[in-house]
């Protein structure tokens, strides 16, 4: 099994699949925001940013999957994004399932002054005033968006953990025989 995951991490197509899946999820989020008019809350924006970290990890991994340093940078960034995203989605779900005055998210996104993504890309990273973290505005199969994100980030996390563990497996050396 680890041989399979190691081989996956060495192929560009696997990294392309990761990048494509994240891009599809980001496009879906933007459709919900701009196409359906569902206002994103602060937690939605942070979850979107965690998904962007996984997307960037896919792009980095696609650049040179056979280079160990590049692959490890991509794997660690993807692992960080999936852990952070899972934590954010769990917290967001807690806001929705246990609404209370003391259990609320901030009304404004808080990016560092040196990286004000909400000012640079407001259509993607600005939380709107109508976006309340405790409010459930969409459901599919009786699960809200953050509950779906728990599943999505958990799948990414399991995949990244398996691939990272597979990196410690030695690759099989293929003996090339000219006269075979």
């Amino acid at each position: 099994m680890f041989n399979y995951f190691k081989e996956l991490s060495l192929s560009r197509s696997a990294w392309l699949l990761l990048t494509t899946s994240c891009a599809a999820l980001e496009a879906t989020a933007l459709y919900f925001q701009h196409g359906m008019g569902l206002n994103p809350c602060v937690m939605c924006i942070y979850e979107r940013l965690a998904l962007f970290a996984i997307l960037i990890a896919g792009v980095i991994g696609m650049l040179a999957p056979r280079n160990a340093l590049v692959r490890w940078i991509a794997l660690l960034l993807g692992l960080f994004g999936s852990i952070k995203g899972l934590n954010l989605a769990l917290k967001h779900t807690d806001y929705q399932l246990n609404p209370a005055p003391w259990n609320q998210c901030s009304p404004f996104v808080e990016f560092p002054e040196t990286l004000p993504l909400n000012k640079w890309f407001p259509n993607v990273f600005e939380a709107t005033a109508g976006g309340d973290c405790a409010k459930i505005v969409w459901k599919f199969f009786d699960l809200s968006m953050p509950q779906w994100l728990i599943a999505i980030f958990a799948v990414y996390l399991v995949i990244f953990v398996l691939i990272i563990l597979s990196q410690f497996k030695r690759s099989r050396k293929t003996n090339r025989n000219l006269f075979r």
Side-chain angles (χ1 to χ4, degrees), residues 108-179:
F108 306 105
V109 290
E110 297 168 9
F111 290 119
E113 286 184 26
T114 56
L115 193 68
L117 294 175
N118 58 327
K119 302 234 184 331
W120 294 345
F121 307 105
N123 288 337
V124 179
F125 293 114
E126 185 62 60
T128 56
D132 178 16
C133 293
K135 190 175 178 185
I136 298 174
V137 294
W138 178 88
K139 280 189 168 191
F140 185 65
F141 291 129
D142 208 32
L143 296 175
S144 66
M145 269 189 228
Q147 290 171 325
W148 279 105
L149 285 174
I150 289 171
I152 290 166
F153 283 121
V155 167
Y156 281 135
L157 179 62
V158 167
I159 290 170
F160 277 112
V161 166
L162 287 173
I163 291 177
I164 286 172
L165 290 174
S166 76
Q167 299 305 301
F168 298 105
K169 178 89 172 150
R170 287 192 174 194
S171 296
R172 286 185 256 175
K173 299 268 185 189
T174 56
N175 294 332
R176 294 187 178 181
N177 191 346
L178 184 61
F179 300 106

Side-chain angles (χ1 to χ4, degrees), residues 52-156:
F52 265 116
I54 299 171
L55 188 142
I56 292 169
V59 171
I60 291 170
M62 214 175 5
L63 292 175
R66 297 213 172 261
N67 183 315
L69 179 63
V70 172
R71 190 171 61 248
W72 272 104
I73 290 170
L75 287 171
L76 293 176
L77 179 61
L79 180 69
F80 172 76
S82 58
I83 289 171
K84 191 68 174 170
L86 182 60
N87 286 334
L88 288 166
L90 286 167
K91 191 172 186 179
H92 192 174
T93 301
D94 181 53
Y95 289 149
Q96 289 184 341
L97 297 179
N98 304 308
W102 57 86
N103 192 22
Q104 294 181 359
C105 65
S106 169
F108 306 105
V109 290
E110 297 168 9
F111 290 119
E113 286 184 26
T114 56
L115 193 68
L117 294 175
N118 58 327
K119 302 234 184 331
W120 294 345
F121 307 105
N123 288 337
V124 179
F125 293 114
E126 185 62 60
T128 56
D132 178 16
C133 293
K135 190 175 178 185
I136 298 174
V137 294
W138 178 88
K139 280 189 168 191
F140 185 65
F141 291 129
D142 208 32
L143 296 175
S144 66
M145 269 189 228
Q147 290 171 325
W148 279 105
L149 285 174
I150 289 171
I152 290 166
F153 283 121
V155 167
Y156 281 135

